Amino acid sequence: MNEFKNKVIEEDCLRICDCLPKESYDLVYLDPPFFSGKEQQSKTRDGMRHYSFSDRWPRLSEYADFMGSRIEAVRPLLKSTGSIVVHCDSSANFVLRSILEDIFGAENFRSEIVWRYKRWSNSQRSPIPSHQTLFSYSVTESYKYNQIYGGYSATTNVDQILQSRARDSRGKSVYARDSNGVIVGSGGKKGVPLSDVWDIPFLNPKAKERVGYPTQKPLVLLDRIVRLLTDPGDWVLDPFCGSGTTLVAAKLLGRNFTGVDQSSVAVSLSRERLGNPVVTESNLMKMGEESYLNADRDALKILAGLPLVPVQRNKGIDALLKGEADGDPVLIRVQRPFETLGDSIGALRKASLKKQFSFLVVVATEASLVPYDQEENDLIVVDSTAKVIESLLRRRTRSELRLFESQKHA
Ligand SMILES: C[S@@+](CC[C@H](N)C(=O)[O-])C[C@H]1O[C@@H](n2cnc3c(N)ncnc32)[C@H](O)[C@@H]1O
């Protein structure tokens, strides 16, 4: 086994499988070509190195033969407690699932994980593809699985966290009670067990860990797979290792690994990465998507009813009006309490520098001693509904008072 310990081998993975030791790996993760019909290409950020691999196949049946023979070849390498994870997308997931069913058996299907991410692209005549699939099968019933727990959702009530559940005589889920009818505590739940939909950001073009290899997967994704299905000291095999993401994750988690790729360039790159692993910290992963939703809620309440897009992560602009005026967007800001109208306009002007817009709209919410009368063609200042009502009432009350005074003196 030592011969293959922490090694990256340049070879067709079908050929090397004959040489690798049987029943020795705890996890085999495959991220093969997906049947995209493309030559997958990309380059490093400095543009100095180009990488590519071919994902062109004359027919689906040839792809199915290619994958079938390789999945069959890796099965004997797995321990009886081991698992296989096959990464794919909608191009040929249906083929891979049926190959896996044949080789591992339907009874050993463990999960279909959906890796979901946000991606910007121009909408075609179908929804934007925003997920890939990972099929997981085990060799036997007694497979290794290290549960991962996440935080509770905002809708979880405190009783669900503190109390145990049981089934009543009709099979309905109820809070468990002891023989005296007293509710049984949960004994400290660890959180919510991992679901099969994983929100993990796609590697962004500026991510530190990006090495410029086409279809490079994020380390966070591989870190999760390796943790879930192996323990420290276990063995991980990646027969299509590309830039070596799985190997880096395994190394950082104290697992042994073997990587295989038929491309010499991929093998050198993997070795380079293993010599100096770089991990990108993802704020989105650390703090969750909610933390990015920081548009001012009070400001948005004042704009309620308008067709608008709330703007997140911008100190000067609260919203964009849906649709455009004169072909460009309209940017809106609501005056904050204790902010002068001039400051509010200044904040919106500053935020709109270098941005395309037709009009800036400031909604005035505070009574001002000095009316804003500077003429600016691209600026509209309007009073909030509350401010309009308040001033109408004030005027009306004053005239009623005058009427009362005049009647008194008549
Ligand atoms: C999708 S990429 C893997 C990307 C990798 N997971 C990463 O994060 O960088 C697929 C890789 O499979 C390799 N490959 C294609 N056919 C192969 C074969 N028969 N044996 C071994 N590697 C192969 C390609 O060279 C390519 O590097």
Side-chain angles (χ1 to χ4, degrees):
M1 200 67 186
N2 263 351
E3 198 188 329
F4 302 103
K5 185 171 172 174
N6 303 341
K7 292 281 180 339
V8 193
I9 302 161
E10 180 189 332
E11 186 57 272
D12 179 335
C13 58
L14 181 62
R15 289 163 62 110
I16 197 73
C17 283
D18 276 345
C19 314
L20 294 171
K22 306 276 178 283
E23 295 181 30
S24 307
Y25 288 91
D26 298 277
L27 166 67
V28 180
Y29 165 83
L30 297 90
D31 176 21
F34 283 0
F35 193 68
S36 64
K38 292 184 200 153
E39 187 69 22
Q40 295 287 3
Q41 320 196 34
S42 61
K43 52 185 173 193
T44 47
R45 247 192 310 257
D46 59 10
M48 300 298 279
R49 286 200 247 175
H50 290 249
Y51 297 112
S52 68
F53 66 86
S54 169
D55 188 9
R56 292 184 198 276
W57 309 85
R59 271 173 300 277
L60 184 61
S61 57
E62 290 195 27
Y63 178 74
D65 288 347
F66 171 86
M67 286 310 299
S69 53
R70 282 159 184 81
I71 292 176
E72 201 158 11
V74 295
R75 192 189 175 284
L77 309 178
L78 277 163
K79 292 181 189 164
S80 62
T81 49
S83 296
I84 184 169
V85 174
V86 177
H87 195 138
C88 49
D89 73 4
S90 57
S91 318
N93 55 4
F94 52 101
V95 174
L96 293 170
R97 175 81 194 259
S98 79
I99 291 173
L100 285 160
E101 291 278 302
D102 277 352
I103 297 174
F104 284 82
E107 69 285 8
N108 290 317
F109 166 75
R110 294 291 154 236
S111 69
E112 175 178 341
I113 295 160
V114 171
W115 167 33
R116 182 170 66 175
Y117 42 80
K118 291 231 163 76
R119 240 176 159 183
W120 292 96
S121 79
N122 284 331
S123 175
Q124 305 124 9
R125 282 159 58 84
S126 53
I128 298 168
S130 307
H131 81 277
Q132 292 178 8
T133 309
L134 295 100
F135 292 124
S136 158
Y137 283 74
S138 61
V139 177
T140 62
E141 273 281 292
S142 25
Y143 58 98
K144 194 172 273 189
Y145 187 73
N146 301 320
Q147 185 60 274
I148 293 177
Y149 295 90
Y152 294 102
S153 80
T155 53
T156 310
N157 78 43
V158 67
D159 290 338
Q160 283 172 306
I161 301 171
L162 297 179
Q163 297 165 6
S164 288
R165 312 267 325 165
R167 299 259 162 210
D168 69 7
S169 55
R170 285 173 298 148
K172 207 175 128 203
S173 171
V174 291
Y175 289 121
R177 290 174 191 272
D178 65 14
S179 51
N180 300 319
V182 178
I183 286 183
V184 180
S186 67
K189 285 188 187 159
K190 293 180 186 149
V192 181
L194 188 68
S195 87
D196 59 6
V197 178
W198 296 1
D199 284 303
I200 293 182
F202 214 78
L203 264 192
N204 79 57
K206 290 188 184 154
K208 274 195 263 161
E209 74 187 54
R210 183 180 274 281
V211 290
Y213 199 77
T215 79
Q216 179 188 345
K217 304 298 176 299
L219 262 170
V220 219
L221 175 72
L222 271 305
D223 175 278
R224 186 177 287 180
I225 297 167
V226 172
R227 275 177 203 275
L228 206 57
L229 298 170
T230 65
D231 291 320
D234 280 356
W235 283 77
V236 178
L237 170 66
D238 185 341
F240 296 89
C241 72
S243 67
T245 311
T246 316
L247 318 180
V248 173
K251 178 176 176 170
L252 295 176
L253 291 169
R255 275 65 167 175
N256 298 303
F257 58 84
T258 309
V260 184
D261 204 291
Q262 66 179 13
S263 145
S264 59
V265 184
V267 169
S268 314
L269 181 60
S270 292
R271 289 184 183 146
E272 220 178 281
R273 268 184 96 184
L274 284 161
N276 179 25
V278 177
V279 185
T280 314
E281 288 256 304
S282 163
N283 286 335
L284 190 64
M285 290 291 294
K286 258 198 306 197
M287 303 187 291
E289 199 164 323
E290 294 286 298
S291 64
Y292 281 75
L293 304 179
N294 61 355
D296 191 294
R297 286 180 191 203
D298 291 336
L300 293 180
K301 268 191 231 158
I302 287 169
L303 299 175
L306 280 172
L308 45 82
V309 182
V311 170
Q312 315 290 344
R313 299 159 69 198
N314 190 300
K315 284 190 185 141
I317 307 169
D318 290 322
L320 307 180
L321 213 51
K322 269 190 197 155
E324 299 174 335
D326 291 347
D328 281 320
V330 177
L331 315 183
I332 312 181
R333 176 178 180 82
V334 175
Q335 183 186 9
R336 303 288 192 269
F338 311 113
E339 183 179 66
T340 67
L341 195 51
D343 285 348
S344 203
I345 294 166
L348 182 57
R349 278 244 173 260
K350 191 169 166 206
S352 64
L353 283 177
K354 296 194 197 150
K355 290 193 174 44
Q356 226 27 43
F357 65 88
S358 53
F359 290 102
L360 301 178
V361 176
V362 172
V363 180
T365 56
E366 299 289 296
S368 168
L369 296 176
V370 195
Y372 191 83
D373 57 4
Q374 266 169 278
E375 275 211 11
E376 292 165 74
N377 284 342
D378 58 356
L379 176 70
I380 300 169
V381 179
V382 284
D383 283 345
S384 68
T385 319
K387 201 177 160 201
V388 172
I389 295 174
E390 209 180 22
S391 77
L392 280 175
L393 279 177
R394 211 178 301 130
R395 244 182 278 155
R396 173 124 176 238
T397 328
R398 251 190 250 125
S399 58
E400 276 168 3
L401 212 81
R402 271 198 297 274
L403 188 68
F404 174 71
E405 289 291 321
S406 59
Q407 280 170 351
K408 211 166 60 175
H409 294 295

